[in-house]
Amino acid sequence: HLCLYISQSTFAISSFRFMATNDLMMELQKDSIKLDEDSEKKVVKMLLKLLEDKNGEVQNLAVKCLGPLVGKVKEYQVETIVDTLCTNMLSDKEQLRDISSIGLKTVISELPPASTGSTMTANVCKKITAQLTGAIGKQEDVSVQLEALDILSDMLSRLGGTLYSFHSSILNCLLPQLTSPRLAVRKRAIIALGHLVLTCSGNIFSELTEHLLAELKRNESTSTTRTYIQCVAGISRQAGHRIGEHLEKIIPLIVRYCNVEDDELREYCFQAFESFVRRIFICRDRCPKEIDPHIPNVMELCLKYITFDPNYNYDNEEEEEEEMMETENGEDEEQESDDEYSDDDDISWKVRRSAAKCLEAIVSSRHDLLQDFYKTLSPVLISRFKEREENVRADIFSAYISLLKQTLPIQSWLHASDASGKDDVPLTMLQKQVPNIVKALHKQLKEKSIKSRQGCFSLLTELANVLPGCLADHIPALVPGIVFSLADKSSSSNMRIDTLSFLHVLLCNHQPEVFHPHIKSLLPPVVTCIGDPFYKITSEALLVTQQLVKVIRPLDKSCTFDAKPYVKDLFPGTLKRLKAADIDQEVKERAISCMGQIICNLGDHLSTDLQPTLKIFLERLKNEITRLTTVKVLTLIASSPLKINLRPILGEGFPILASFLRKNQRALKLSTLTALDILVKNYSDSLQPAMIESVLTELPALITENDMHVSQVAIMFLTTLAKVYPSCISKISGSVLAEIFQLVHSPLLQGGALNAIIDFFQALVLTKTATMGYSELMKQLTAPIYSSGSAEASVMLHKQAYYSVAKCVAALSSACPKEVPAIVNQFIQDVKNPKSSSAVKVLAFLSLAEMGRTMNLSSQRELKTVILEAFSSPSEEVKSAASYALGNISVGNLKEYLPFMLKEIGSQPKRQYLLLHSLKEVISSSPANGLEPYVEDIWALLFKHCECTEEGTRNVVAECLGKLTLVNPSELLPRLKKQLSSGSPHARSTVVTAIKFTIADQPQPIDALLKGCIGDFLKTLQDPDLNVRRVALAMFNSAAHNKPSLIRDLLNAVLPSLYNETNVRRELIREVEMGPFKHTVDDGLDVRKAAFECMYTLLESCLDRLDIYEYLNHVEDGLKDHYDIRMLTFIMLARLSTLCPSAVLQRLERLIEPLRATCSTKVKAGSVKQEFEKQDELKRSAMRAVAALLTIPEVEKSPAMAEFSSQIRSNPEMASLFESIQKDSASLPTSESMDMS
């Protein structure tokens, strides 16, 4: 009806047409609308007619209708629309041309992506392309050319892969446009070529680069050369990874053009360099080999041209600073009278700006050149801070900030051990340049230009973060600038916020004394900012004030500065913000924190103001929005050494705090427990028993294995109560103790929570409370294990629980030494009693072990024989516990037990394995000086056993050797090295494994020695023996994971051997007959698996040292390997797509094939259940890798990926698997990596 209505000839009033078209658009936007063939024709015909309507608004609506229409009509109708629009584009009427080009863009944006498998998109695109390339080539009218180029760019960027067959003709059509007389045409042609190179084939890419190179060599005119250089830069921005191989030829040409006297050309040259550096870097901080050789050359050019300002003399400024204004005016007048030159013609600033941006790109991608940067680049940049052109100066600041960010010491476990001095060199060099930086900046801090001042503060903020304390000597130079920016009426809000945030960093990173002379000038403007109407300024100012309070009167050291005069400035402004209820949440919280700091550091100067302020805190404590911040502030005030009088608010405050322990907000519970703990410690005299009890009733619910940290803090609070209020402990209801015992018997208990429980038991037993004496607690601790002689009852407890109980037993015994002989005797009897269950024996041995480690048990004559008898027990658990006990009891008395143990190891081959485990305990737990007299004996003994055929025994020997080496590394490490030349592979594998145990993630004295000789140990990666190579890989993996600094510099030598181990060795695959079946066994699988694990670890710790393309070759082979290897390489691929997406993009076609093969594998019908599960897990893992690949920007432009995506969508099984993977990843926190060590 609508079409009819619109088309009636009487329908001449444009407003009716407008209304009707609007209704049509509403209808088309509904999903429910279905058009039959006839209606389709009418609607299409009508809309195309309306595009030529005289009324502009009707035309606009008609164009909007095209979008939703594309998805509603059949393919041939879309083709009709496109044909008409293309024809109209060539029309003489400008308005019709414009509206048609908008129409075409609308249609293109609505076409379904090729990955949905629709053929319509491909056909329609081909139609448009044929028409557009014709229009671009033949057209006289520039505006038509521009529109056509625009539409072509749109289409290539969205649907480039679909136009595969047209790429060659598109290229031939675009290249001539680069020489068009109109610069706008050239510019759009460059944009279109940029989109083309993303999806075109290698041949077309080469054809394009060859053409550009030839034209650059010809250098017909400066104007076209500029365009070709812009084009090269454009291509590099879009598809940097592809241009790499051509850089060898391109860069020298561009370097040549830098020396041509043409500022615009130079600007484009530097933009091209910048695009090469930015886009061709593969990993996060690394340019690839292709651009490496050119970096010094490019840097030299940048440094030359960043100072290129031929029309301005900077020297005058330095000589005549006072007369600066006059000088400048004088110069201007002279220049204007000179007809030859005016400042408006000077575009040299563009050259300086592009050089600065290029330097920034180099700095941010080349962490390895830091020292060179500080030698050559830093002084030049500092000297250019005086740049007269504001925009250029901003880019110079930006480049220097990038340099500082690169210098920031990396705070992470990976690099903790790298701080051997290499990383300190740039910091030392920077330290020497700080005076020059401040000298160059401090004048600008008072300039009118807000942008310059913001740049200065950003740079100084970064500097203070990189080198805390470095500005201490320069505070007098900086304070006037800070005060000026805070007090200056013309300063924008952002200017003030930036100044305040710099001041905050400055105060945090420097010693308080350096600010004391300046407090008088700094404080008033900051306090004024607290009263600012803009909440962000107030919030920043409160943060600064809080830090200033700590500076005015530091509590951690004695200080002569008199803070009292400043209280009257600080207090009223903060109080006003604290009282206000109608302010921003952030301001409320910061006002509370700031006032808390004032009371904590200056509370003794507040006299009568103190109590009313505390009353406000009480109010804030009752408010849900501010209660968490207030609890933290009360903790701060309660722990103040000024002993602030909180008593008046405790009566009302304590029950409120107790009620917070019930709330379902974890942070609140933890903060409240900390606050209560400090209040009980410091204000015990003013707390009533009833108050304490109100808290006690809340505690049982907090002690649970579901949240170990809350449990730990709650138990620490209980320990404080037991020490401060022993009397209230009798009121500790059974329920709290019951929860604690349950926690002790939990398999999850370890670390901090276990230590808290041990402290609590020791405090508890010392309160001498009747119902909680030693014997009572012991009984409850061990009850579940003794509860029945039968095995079933004790099965309930996890192995970890035995260790926890034993530690608690030992802690109780050390608190009550009188009870020790009796309990030790009881344990010995338990072990001797043939009726004891193995659980009871295990507990007895573990408890003896824990006690023996800290006490001397040598008075117990029977101990040795009891333990040695247990070595022949039928139960593995009992044997292991006895061996652990012998080791730990020996630690308590080395003189008595160690010689005995060594003698036994020599004379008892059957018990050797268990005795070696005991020896391992001794070496791990004894202090180095205690072990020294025995080192030689132990060493000789271990080397007797290092060739043992049992791998288990060899591993224990290796661990003992490794840990023993740590006792005296300078003597023992060379001995280990000597053993590498041993003839027996078993001995070599033991020595290499021993090295693995000397590498820890914490810095150790052995590190420097290890670094010197780890290369020799890594040579075993080429050992003829398979097993030696496997343990060498395990050692290499441990080093890469725990202490990458040991191996970073050796990677060039080690990687070929590592990659060699990832290959499948046919000679190691054998067939084994199992009855009627033949089974294939691959002896090389373990070694390959170890090699791939090392590769994964290197991704995390040494990415910048890897040639990522070679690395990918081996990942690619792994994707086709055995099940275990494929699982690993899928994880590696997912990680790679985050770390170096552009390299993965380049290899996408080759990587997708194995993924596709895995995802579409079918398990044979009669296979066992395990086979189905295995395949399912493999598919899930592959699909996770696919999901990770799809997160790479621009991946959808790869034809191979688009095809695979459509295959996944069209296959129901794959589609559902893919959806479930995406749901999983959405619900998980983004885990960056997987631990492979």
Side-chain angles (χ1 to χ4, degrees), residues 682-736:
N682 294 350
Y683 296 86
S684 53
D685 52 347
S686 49
L687 296 177
Q688 309 303 319
M691 292 183 181
I692 301 288
E693 280 167 38
S694 69
V695 174
L696 276 177
T697 53
E698 305 295 344
L699 289 177
L702 298 181
I703 300 171
T704 151
E705 63 175 25
N706 297 337
D707 192 332
M708 281 295 181
H709 187 54
V710 172
S711 303
Q712 179 183 337
V713 181
I715 293 167
M716 283 156 74
F717 174 51
L718 275 171
T719 313
T720 305
L721 281 177
K723 289 175 182 165
V724 178
Y725 283 109
S727 57
C728 82
I729 283 300
S730 56
K731 302 236 174 50
I732 286 193
S733 51
S735 58
V736 170

Side-chain angles (χ1 to χ4, degrees), residues 830-873:
D830 280 340
V831 175
K832 282 164 68 180
N833 180 354
K835 289 185 182 159
S836 297
S837 66
S838 59
V840 170
K841 291 182 180 174
V842 168
L843 177 69
F845 279 130
L846 293 180
S847 303
L848 287 168
E850 295 299 337
M851 288 155 79
R853 190 183 302 151
T854 49
M855 308 169 194
N856 185 347
L857 297 183
S858 53
S859 55
Q860 299 287 338
R861 292 279 157 234
E862 290 179 278
L863 255 180
K864 287 182 194 168
T865 47
V866 167
I867 290 175
L868 289 180
E869 276 168 21
F871 278 5
S872 43
S873 155

Side-chain angles (χ1 to χ4, degrees), residues 386-636:
K386 63 187 177 194
E387 166 67 55
R388 65 197 170 106
E389 193 68 44
E390 192 174 66
N391 293 329
V392 182
R393 195 185 311 153
D395 284 316
I396 290 172
F397 283 157
S398 180
Y400 205 84
I401 289 170
S402 283
L403 178 61
L404 291 172
K405 282 187 172 146
Q406 287 290 322
T407 320
L408 194 63
I410 302 169
Q411 303 294 331
S412 83
W413 57 274
L414 280 179
H415 299 270
S417 50
D418 286 10
S420 49
K422 180 170 173 272
D423 282 1
D424 300 344
V425 180
L427 286 173
T428 321
M429 294 166 88
L430 172 61
Q431 182 77 54
K432 288 181 185 146
Q433 296 179 14
V434 170
N436 299 344
I437 295 177
V438 177
K439 187 180 169 198
L441 291 182
H442 89 274
K443 245 184 352 203
Q444 296 191 27
L445 288 176
K446 284 197 158 183
E447 274 198 8
K448 279 202 186 76
S449 157
I450 286 182
K451 193 171 178 186
S452 292
R453 277 187 280 157
Q454 278 180 310
C456 292
F457 282 130
S458 303
L459 196 150
L460 288 166
T461 306
E462 202 61 51
L463 182 62
N465 279 326
V466 173
L467 266 183
C470 69
L471 294 170
D473 305 339
H474 308 288
I475 303 290
L478 297 174
V479 168
I482 295 173
V483 173
F484 172 72
S485 275
L486 288 179
D488 179 26
K489 293 281 177 283
S490 63
S491 286
S492 65
S493 312
N494 284 346
M495 180 72 251
R496 282 190 200 160
I497 293 169
D498 287 355
T499 312
L500 286 165
S501 68
F502 163 62
L503 181 52
H504 184 245
V505 171
L506 195 65
L507 291 168
C508 291
N509 285 337
H510 291 75
Q511 290 301 319
E513 301 79 61
V514 297
F515 297 104
H516 288 161
H518 309 286
I519 295 291
K520 203 169 185 173
S521 50
L522 273 177
L523 198 58
V526 174
V527 172
T528 313
C529 285
I530 295 181
D532 196 277
F534 184 39
Y535 75 96
K536 282 193 172 166
I537 294 182
T538 310
S539 167
E540 243 356 281
L542 284 164
L543 208 56
V544 172
T545 310
Q546 189 175 345
Q547 200 56 37
L548 267 172
V549 172
K550 294 186 203 170
V551 166
I552 291 173
R553 187 178 188 185
L555 295 175
D556 48 356
K557 47 183 164 186
S558 59
C559 167
T560 51
F561 184 71
D562 179 20
K564 196 165 182 187
Y566 300 105
V567 177
K568 63 177 190 310
D569 289 340
L570 285 165
F571 184 77
T574 311
L575 183 66
K576 185 180 167 198
R577 288 298 181 188
L578 179 67
K579 282 179 173 168
D582 54 343
I583 47 170
D584 188 81
Q585 167 76 7
E586 191 180 71
V587 177
K588 273 185 194 166
E589 289 177 2
R590 288 193 173 167
I592 294 170
S593 305
C594 182
M595 185 54 89
Q597 198 73 54
I598 292 174
I599 295 177
C600 172
N601 290 44
L602 305 165
D604 49 350
H605 296 320
L606 291 178
S607 60
T608 54
D609 287 329
L610 178 63
Q611 291 316 319
T613 313
L614 290 176
K615 287 276 186 290
I616 301 177
F617 280 149
L618 204 53
E619 291 308 308
R620 296 286 171 267
L621 202 56
K622 296 172 187 169
N623 180 335
E624 191 176 339
I625 295 174
T626 51
R627 64 190 179 194
L628 178 59
T629 315
T630 315
V631 171
K632 288 179 180 168
V633 162
L634 285 175
T635 313
L636 180 73

